[in-house]
Amino acid sequence: MVYRQTEARVQKDGELRERILKLALGRVADAGFAALTMQTLADDAGIATGSLYRHFRGKGELAAEVFSRASQREVDALAEVLATPASATARLSDGLRQFAARAWDSRQLAFALIAEPVDPEVDEQRLVYREAYAALFVQLLEQGIAHGEFPSQPVHLIAACLVGAIAEALVGPLSPPARAGRDAGLSNPSLEDVSDALVHFCLRAVGAPLPVPEDQP
Amino acid sequence: MVYRQTEARVQKDGELRERILKLALGRVADAGFAALTMQTLADDAGIATGSLYRHFRGKGELAAEVFSRASQREVDALAEVLATPASATARLSDGLRQFAARAWDSRQLAFALIAEPVDPEVDEQRLVYREAYAALFVQLLEQGIAHGEFPSQPVHLIAACLVGAIAEALVGPLSPPARAGRDAGLSNPSLEDVSDALVHFCLRAVGAPLPVPEDQP
């Protein structure tokens, strides 16, 4: 009986942990990591703050886990597009457009993941996930070079450049000031503007053939 | 007399503040923001921790000021190269090579500035300084387009891509694991590898003529 009680307790704990993480992700998606505090999250979950601390040692650990779950979802979505049988050029272009569109659909979450100033534990995870994205691009670059689509190039360094370019292209348009300006009707780039610029930049950067004629001045 | 005493006190305070900031920068350059604590810094300066708190409200504020001073030096150095009378292509290439070389010369500091997980106050400053770098590239891109060196392109978005690519190309090779590997004799990119990859990536990305023939497979 003791054993079965323990098993039931472990399962109940696991379920509560899942529920807490879903609520936490919802908070971050709505208002960024700044809105994630142990007190408000405990209130959301209808548990005592002390119980929450049994599951997460603190805000930093919780934020890091919310970050890595949300980021893994994006890495998986990108990996899926990059694994289709199209040319490396088409896969890069499609992957970039999907990544930008997903970020655009959840701007607060995307900004929180990419650049919101937050606990060092999340910064640690940012470095880890940037390496996960880079690994996907290394593979794609190697395939594109092998098939003669891209010139030979140091794939690890170029993959890092791609990861940085993508993150930074989105940080500006996704940042709270840019979003406030857009809401106030000021001119700000659209998703199409950002996607087009990013695709052109990255395809040119890796030496891929461009999908549309250049707009030469 | 009261007035002159106050003036002398203000000057003395300013001098101590300068001395503290120099010591703090030295610590970060040696061992990153992780090595910057109020206690050790007070010891370095030979003052009581309480006196240090009179100058800086806490580690976050101090780290942010060290960050912005060190970053402004890099922005100024890049601005100087970009303001020479050479072609936009040559200035971009020279600016990138100088930026990478300066980072390589002070790897611990460069990694601390670009990517070390640290207080949110520093993350805030990172966003501010990325905009300062982007503004320099916007100007260069506009000049290059006006002189027919680069095709027409959305300069603000492309400048953001450049800033991201540069930071990310350096984070990998500058990160503590990569430096440890290099020290242990493992194969890791050299400064020349990183500079060459970065220059090729960025020149191709903005549609500039490449300085050397492509190594086509």
Side-chain angles (χ1 to χ4, degrees), chain A residues 4-217:
Chain A
R4 289 186 61 196
Q5 270 177 352
T6 309
E7 207 175 59
R9 173 60 182 271
V10 167
Q11 193 186 335
K12 216 181 138 198
D13 266 11
E15 284 165 9
L16 177 56
R17 200 169 190 282
E18 275 306 306
R19 195 160 69 80
I20 291 168
L21 280 168
K22 274 190 191 140
L23 288 167
L25 179 59
R27 282 216 152 250
V28 175
D30 281 347
F33 284 108
L36 188 65
T37 69
M38 297 298 267
Q39 180 62 60
T40 50
L41 186 60
D43 292 348
D44 283 356
I47 59 175
T49 315
S51 305
L52 184 54
Y53 276 97
R54 270 206 309 116
H55 290 273
F56 301 95
R57 266 175 306 174
K59 157 87 190 282
E61 181 180 313
L62 175 68
E65 180 135 359
V66 169
F67 175 92
S68 64
R69 289 198 165 201
S71 297
Q72 190 59 52
R73 224 160 53 178
E74 297 311 310
V75 168
D76 292 344
L78 180 61
E80 204 174 305
V81 174
L82 297 188
T84 57
S87 71
T89 304
R91 285 180 284 149
L92 178 54
S93 171
D94 291 349
L96 294 170
R97 286 189 191 282
Q98 177 190 267
F99 188 85
R102 288 176 63 94
W104 216 258
D105 271 350
S106 315
R107 283 174 217 178
Q108 179 75 57
L109 179 61
F111 180 74
L113 296 180
I114 295 174
E116 186 185 342
V118 66
D119 311 71
E121 287 95 329
V122 171
D123 280 341
E124 295 273 4
Q125 288 297 310
R126 283 187 177 133
L127 292 176
V128 170
Y129 274 90
R130 285 175 169 232
E131 283 181 31
Y133 286 116
L136 292 178
F137 289 124
V138 163
Q139 206 180 9
L140 184 77
L141 287 167
E142 283 172 344
Q143 293 163 353
I145 293 166
H147 287 92
E149 286 181 65
F150 310 150
S152 124
Q153 52 199 296
V155 291
H156 288 91
L157 287 166
I158 299 299
C161 289
L162 287 174
V163 171
I166 296 163
E168 200 68 20
L170 290 169
V171 163
L174 289 173
S175 72
R179 283 183 287 128
R182 205 162 29 231
D183 294 346
L186 296 179
S187 109
N188 254 305
S190 65
L191 168 59
E192 208 186 341
D193 294 337
V194 174
S195 290
D196 287 350
L198 191 56
V199 168
H200 269 76
F201 181 93
C202 293
L203 291 188
R204 272 198 302 242
V206 303
L210 286 182
V212 292
E214 277 291 327
D215 179 14
Q216 292 281 352

